[in-house]
Amino acid sequence: MTDFSYVRTEMLEERPAPTSQTGIVKWLRENLFSSVPNAILSIVALWAIYFTLSHLLPWVFQSSWTATSLKECRASIAAAHGEGTTGACWAVIRERYLQLIYGFYPADSYWRPNLAFIMMLVALAPVLFNSIPKKMMLFTALYPFIAFWLLWGGSIWLPLSVIAGFVLGYVALNVVSKASSELVGMIACAVVPILWFLFFAGPVADIMQGIIPISLESVESAKFGGFMLSILIGITGIAFSLPIGIVLALGRQSDLMIVKVICVGFIEFIRGVPLITLLFVASTLLNYFMPPGTNFDIILRVIIMVTLFASAYMAEVIRGGLAALPKGQYEGADSLGLDFWQATRLIIMPQALKISIPNIVSTFIGLFKDTTLVSIIGLLDPIGLSTNIRADQYWNGIIWELYGFIAVIFFVFCFAMSRYSMYLERKLQTGH
């Protein structure tokens, strides 16, 4: 009997998926050739990439690493790859990379900035990652004083006496707050360290150095340079601009008229002036406002100006985060009976910082790149050192190799900050 049923009585064997729906072909169709305009743009982009790499890669790899001058470098490339061949002269990087990294820092003391850099990574770890024990925050707080002593040298008792000033301020805050009021305690916390720094820190350090001499060879700021100088200015500006920016943002939203006017005036003035102008003020005009005979370190002046400049922009970033919070968050804090500082610390500021993460990191990246501007006022950052290297008769005329090396190092640092920002956004789920 013939079976005319419309329902299949046996299962068909499995067949592989169509080639157009799997693997690289599917990816290409979905991402590069999903439509006619997309296909045209993809072809143009692929041609541009091919054109760029076909000219760039031979220049990068048909190069010389052993020459001692630009002329010798070009001669060795021509001998190895044929007359008329152009290639990179990486020999200048091999010969001057230490100078580009350390500037004119004494060669026998390179271990000091190296150790300071490693300790910086350790100090940043508990700030950047929650898995690190919070007891490490004590080392993070002490690191600026350790790094100062390692880089500049001198007596160890000077940074220790500065630490003592902050300890005295903390003691004054607790003692005076219990005896009087919290406001008076905060005033004492600010006044006591200032008096200590002005009148007692130096003499006490000298006395202790006479009793127990512990010191490193002093290195003057004129010998600082290269990426060491850029990292020093950039990391210091980043570390101090965030808390100052938070204070300025809160002050701008304060109900106290004097506080608000001061914060608004500072923010608008700094944001209305180019950074290079502030650097010129730091390098030339600032000494005119100091008492006669005062020796105000040039690097310290630049760090102060860079930090203030970044703080003004950071304040607006934080203010944007505060403005983005729903009004219910403020009302919820009030309903819990929290005062202003408790609400700000526990509810408002964590959410505002979470919202502002991308803009905060963008400001940090911009600040780190802006450290190259210090070359205009005579500090030998990598850009300033590249100018000095090109002035050497042996390397006169070399450009792209130096700037390429500097660009790669800056890219590594800025890319790392960008990746950390994305990691933090995913961890905190900023979009939710």
Side-chain angles (χ1 to χ4, degrees), residues 322 325-355:
L322 293 172
L325 287 183
K327 188 177 180 181
Q329 298 295 319
Y330 295 89
E331 295 173 347
D334 293 336
S335 68
L336 292 174
L338 302 178
D339 60 26
F340 173 79
W341 294 110
Q342 290 174 330
T344 300
R345 180 171 59 89
L346 299 175
I347 296 178
I348 304 303
M349 194 52 65
Q351 296 184 75
L353 292 176
K354 177 182 172 182
I355 294 171

Side-chain angles (χ1 to χ4, degrees), residues 5-215:
S5 62
Y6 291 96
V7 179
R8 189 179 297 277
T9 58
E10 67 277 350
M11 296 294 294
L12 294 178
E13 295 182 1
E14 292 185 0
R15 297 181 180 180
T19 307
S20 61
Q21 298 299 318
T22 58
I24 186 65
V25 176
K26 178 183 179 183
W27 184 91
L28 289 173
R29 290 189 62 182
E30 291 181 350
N31 294 278
L32 300 182
F33 302 100
S34 58
S35 63
V36 173
N38 194 10
I40 295 174
L41 290 174
S42 298
I43 293 173
V44 172
L46 290 173
W47 177 84
I49 293 172
Y50 167 76
F51 179 82
T52 302
L53 293 180
S54 65
H55 288 75
L56 179 63
L57 293 181
W59 180 81
V60 171
F61 292 104
Q62 293 177 359
S63 56
S64 172
W65 288 88
T66 57
T68 58
S69 67
L70 181 58
K71 183 178 179 180
E72 183 181 335
C73 187
R74 289 172 176 170
S76 64
I77 292 174
H81 303 284
E83 197 66 35
T85 303
T86 58
C89 186
W90 299 119
V92 66
I93 304 300
R94 181 189 60 82
E95 186 173 302
R96 298 296 186 95
Y97 76 96
L98 289 175
Q99 189 177 5
L100 287 169
I101 294 174
Y102 300 103
F104 296 100
Y105 206 85
D108 58 351
S109 299
Y110 282 166
W111 65 271
R112 289 159 57 176
N114 291 341
L115 180 59
F117 181 77
I118 295 172
M119 295 175 72
M120 180 193 74
L121 299 179
V122 176
L124 288 175
V127 178
L128 301 179
F129 304 102
N130 288 333
S131 57
I132 306 298
K134 292 305 176 184
K135 293 180 180 179
M136 289 289 294
M137 289 297 292
L138 177 60
F139 176 76
T140 303
L142 294 176
Y143 172 74
F145 308 99
I146 299 173
F148 171 83
W149 181 59
L150 282 174
L151 294 176
W152 273 275
S155 171
I156 194 176
W157 296 107
L158 180 59
L160 289 178
S161 65
V162 174
I163 294 174
F166 289 106
V167 173
L168 290 174
Y170 177 76
V171 172
L173 173 64
N174 290 328
V175 173
V176 177
S177 296
K178 293 179 180 179
S180 180
S181 64
E182 186 174 348
L183 177 61
V184 178
M186 294 179 65
I187 295 174
C189 179
V191 171
V192 170
I194 292 175
L195 294 176
W196 173 264
F197 298 149
L198 291 176
F199 301 106
F200 300 103
V204 169
D206 293 338
I207 293 172
M208 293 304 300
Q209 179 65 16
I211 299 174
I212 309 176
I214 303 176
S215 62

Side-chain angles (χ1 to χ4, degrees), residues 10 89 95 113 174 176 184 190 277 284 316 339 371 389 399 410 432:
E10 67 277 350
C89 186
E95 186 173 302
N174 290 328
V176 177
V184 178
T277 304
T284 58
E316 290 300 280
D339 60 26
T371 58
I389 293 172
I399 297 176
F410 270 100
H432 296 77

